[in-house]
Amino acid sequence: MQTLKIRDVMTPQVELIDSHAVLVEAARKMRDHDIGALPVEKNDKMIGMITDRDVAIRAVAESKDPLTETVENSMTGGIEYCFDDQPIGEISEMMSAKQLRRLPVVDRDKKLVGIVSLGDLSQKASSSEAAEVLEHISEPQ
């Protein structure tokens, strides 16, 4: 039996947002594409991720103006990623250990080619792998 790779379960279409975009643009993009996170790029490089939670907690709760506050000021930096040719089990373990709900996927040239989420794993990976990831992600830190 052939081992499934992340490319076999990832979502290939990825919406990005520029680091200089304002939060209202990020929120609208998330709404329009029914997603909860956007990789953030600056000078053609991924520098972080902005989530709907980042917008709520780091911006709205701090009374920052979403019409002027940039994505870069509210994003989570130091982005984790995986390669498209890595085995699902390996990435499931990584997501569990680091309590990640989604992970950008790059090719070996580090070009963004997709995103893998807990939902992707639960729908397309084995049920035991998905259950294990969910269990570890849901644990309090």
Side-chain angles (χ1 to χ4, degrees):
M1 185 175 149
Q2 186 177 8
T3 303
L4 284 177
K5 306 289 187 194
I6 286 298
R7 73 170 64 95
D8 299 319
V9 299
M10 73 180 191
T11 300
Q13 297 83 20
V14 181
E15 290 297 321
L16 295 166
I17 193 148
D18 188 86
S19 63
H20 296 102
V22 293
L23 292 175
V24 73
E25 291 175 59
R28 286 180 180 149
K29 198 171 227 191
M30 286 183 222
R31 177 199 63 200
D32 292 349
H33 294 282
D34 193 26
I35 54 177
L38 294 164
V40 179
E41 67 177 345
K42 184 175 190 175
N43 302 323
D44 294 323
K45 300 250 188 245
M46 272 190 310
I47 62 165
M49 184 87 75
I50 184 93
T51 66
D52 46 8
R53 180 173 166 78
D54 291 331
V55 173
I57 303 300
R58 294 185 178 160
V60 176
E62 297 296 324
S63 299
K64 294 179 181 173
D65 184 352
L67 296 173
T68 59
E69 186 71 18
T70 65
V71 166
E72 188 169 12
N73 290 334
S74 296
M75 71 178 195
T76 300
I79 194 165
E80 297 280 345
Y81 61 89
C82 65
F83 292 102
D84 64 344
D85 60 358
Q86 286 182 275
I88 287 176
E90 187 178 307
I91 300 310
S92 295
E93 288 178 24
M94 177 183 162
M95 290 175 77
S96 292
K98 297 185 178 189
Q99 293 190 316
L100 301 171
R101 296 181 186 277
R102 58 188 68 83
L103 202 55
V105 181
V106 298
D107 62 18
R108 289 295 170 171
D109 294 324
K110 293 196 177 173
K111 180 181 179 286
L112 184 67
V113 295
I115 196 160
V116 66
S117 69
L118 182 58
D120 293 327
L121 290 175
S122 68
Q123 290 178 359
K124 301 170 189 167
S126 75
S127 58
S128 62
E129 285 175 326
E132 184 177 328
V133 173
L134 179 58
E135 178 183 337
H136 288 96
I137 288 173
S138 300
E139 290 174 351
Q141 289 184 329

